[in-house]
Amino acid sequence: MSEMYANRRTRLREQYSAAGHAAALVSRPANVRYLAGPAPHGAVLLLGRTADLLLCPGPPEDRPTEGRPDEALRVQYLTAGQGDPAVAAADFAAGQGADSLAVEEHHLTVARHREIRSVAPRLRTADLGGAVEQQRVVKDEEEISCLRIGAEIADQALGELLESILVGRTERHLALELERRLVDHGAEGPAFPTSVATGPNSGRRAHRPTDRRVEEGDFLSVCLGATYRGYRCEIGRTFVIGTSPADWQIELYDLVFAAQRAGREALAPGAACRDVDRVTRQVLDAAGYAGGLPSLTGHGVGLEIDEDPQLAPAAMGKLDACVPVTVEPGVHLPGRGGVRIDDTLVVRPEADGGPELLTITTKELLAL
Amino acid sequence: MSEMYANRRTRLREQYSAAGHAAALVSRPANVRYLAGPAPHGAVLLLGRTADLLLCPGPPEDRPTEGRPDEALRVQYLTAGQGDPAVAAADFAAGQGADSLAVEEHHLTVARHREIRSVAPRLRTADLGGAVEQQRVVKDEEEISCLRIGAEIADQALGELLESILVGRTERHLALELERRLVDHGAEGPAFPTSVATGPNSGRRAHRPTDRRVEEGDFLSVCLGATYRGYRCEIGRTFVIGTSPADWQIELYDLVFAAQRAGREALAPGAACRDVDRVTRQVLDAAGYAGGLPSLTGHGVGLEIDEDPQLAPAAMGKLDACVPVTVEPGVHLPGRGGVRIDDTLVVRPEADGGPELLTITTKELLAL
């Protein structure tokens, strides 16, 4: 494990050194975790020419965490009076004679940045940009294995829910029950707030559960995910409550299913992200659902639930092998409800069997 | 309600106008909520000389929320291509002829700030600082009433847990059950991740629940809170499992109880925050627990669980009436466990009966 973290840091070091910087300060939590392992909340990582330092706020007691950072790292806990770890890191880098420091300008606030400059006025700061996020896009098999286990956990939790009685229960309760089952099956927690949407709420992206109860004839859409060793996956399904779905429900379901399948089938190394979005969206557009469509039809997952790449009309770039993404089109008809179908898949070359589906719960329209 | 939001905005407007700014951009989520009501995730509020504008990312469908923003506000949803609401707000302000814009430099990232400057190069930006956070410190009775209901909910959830069988159950399960009960009793959700700590874990601040099971003879410390209409409260208690606590457990409990009582009794309008911390900490110090004490012994609560003021050795400032704070000393003995006792109280003048205790679960040492 330690070697893996060291390799990741070496790749980053090569990058910022090539850009002429003596040191880099990584502050975005998921990036710190990627390079240093599980670290206390608020920790920052300082990469120097040679030695690396993890600076953590407060005494160890105050900042518990699951797991421990990479043992090869020097770890320093600040005492209460020592302030912001990012500022302390810049001070340390300046003390070591560094003349330039690359920082994550998309994460550091203006106020922290100013404090860094006042503590270390001779240290030139530059933008590290999304260098670590870029490195995180393509996953190794260790990371994919965490996502795969997380997906299995989510499939299990969802499967158990489907065997229970649903009519009369509220969205809130169903969401809580799913989250309990995720943890039962070994998740660290939900990967994001579990969404359960019934009747007119169904099909809405990231719907927050309400006190509405499941009724006969409802669409029920559910979106959940497990966090396993820090990695977050996502699955979304829509069901119909009662013995016989209405015609409009079957039609809408078939349409979203067709759109989602088109997206899944378009996943391949070298495929443009916008093309995957387009083939998904086209199916819905052609049926007259152009308006009100979500701004994206899928996104990367990993240490965060919403990572690069985005599958969206304006997305740049192409997919690589070993990139896990969601494919999650949906249609919501105001006042009536709708359908969302959401899988997590890993992009794989044709020779390896094509996209690997991690979330394997059936996508048949189940009447519950 | 709308008048309340308008009054808050007027107070802020007076402040930044007096500092010579034409407009202010509020981006920190809790501050947006305070001034605009429930708003979609990522929304920012632009206050002009007269009209105010709430800018929300993505189409409404993409960004559901609980409740609606203040109806008096003009609300604008950005389409996918329109980018960052903060940047759009600055562009709008410049278009309206504003020459200076106060921004929250402690929340805006360096990258967003740069984008604002490039979109509106003639707009001078300045630091709004913690103006909204300052305004949020003293609560009105409406806000306190939300905290009071939240505290009742947390008391109920905790009370029910104590009636159930605890031995053999894991920290994770107990935490999930508490969170389910919070929602059962009307909370929007937990105010922060519920902490359940058993045996050697007990007494650790913000301990994350593990798979350790409750055993006979354990200390069990629990910390939870409810979110009610956006407001977050906190309660922490420590219990002993089994019929007869050990002598060291009784002694440690009495000590932390005495420290916590000293802190509670020191809460009064005009009391220095550091003095409240000092009287609490002194009790523990005097018994030889100077090392390993947490960096603070209490903090404000409200729309966030960790607000100003801080009750800490280096804290500046004095308490005002109608400021809700926690008092939460604890001692953790590595390898053995420990005790935390945590209440949410509202600072009130002597004439009104002194500090108002919101979390009323007993602080006797219960043997469960």
Side-chain angles (χ1 to χ4, degrees), chain A residues 61-62 64 66 80 105-111 113-114 172-173 176 183-184 188 204-206 294-295 332, chain B residues 61-62 64 66 80 105-111 113-114 172-173 176 183-184 188 204-206 294-295 332:
Chain A
E61 170 68 11
D62 269 25
E66 270 186 280
E105 295 192 346
H106 59 299
H107 180 261
L108 269 195
T109 65
V110 176
H113 193 252
R114 172 171 304 139
R172 268 188 225 271
H173 271 101
L176 283 165
V183 173
D184 275 352
E188 283 154 28
R204 293 183 62 200
R205 181 163 198 255
S295 50
H332 175 255
Chain B
E61 168 68 12
D62 268 26
E66 271 186 280
E105 294 192 347
H106 59 299
H107 180 260
L108 269 196
T109 64
V110 176
H113 192 251
R114 173 171 304 137
R172 269 187 224 270
H173 271 102
L176 283 165
V183 173
D184 275 351
E188 282 154 29
R204 292 183 64 199
R205 180 162 199 256
S295 52
H332 175 255

Side-chain angles (χ1 to χ4, degrees), chain A residues 82-99:
Chain A
Q82 287 180 294
D84 183 334
V87 177
D91 193 23
F92 183 87
Q96 297 277 303
D99 56 351

Side-chain angles (χ1 to χ4, degrees), chain B residues 43 80 99 151 206 283 330 360:
Chain B
D99 56 351
V283 177
I360 60 169

Side-chain angles (χ1 to χ4, degrees), chain B residues 26 30-31 76 80 87 184 223 231 267 282 284 300 304 316 361:
Chain B
V26 178
N31 292 345
Q76 191 180 321
V87 177
D184 275 351
C223 189
Y231 284 83
L267 295 177
Q282 249 170 9
L284 306 176
E304 292 172 291
M316 306 294 285
T361 297

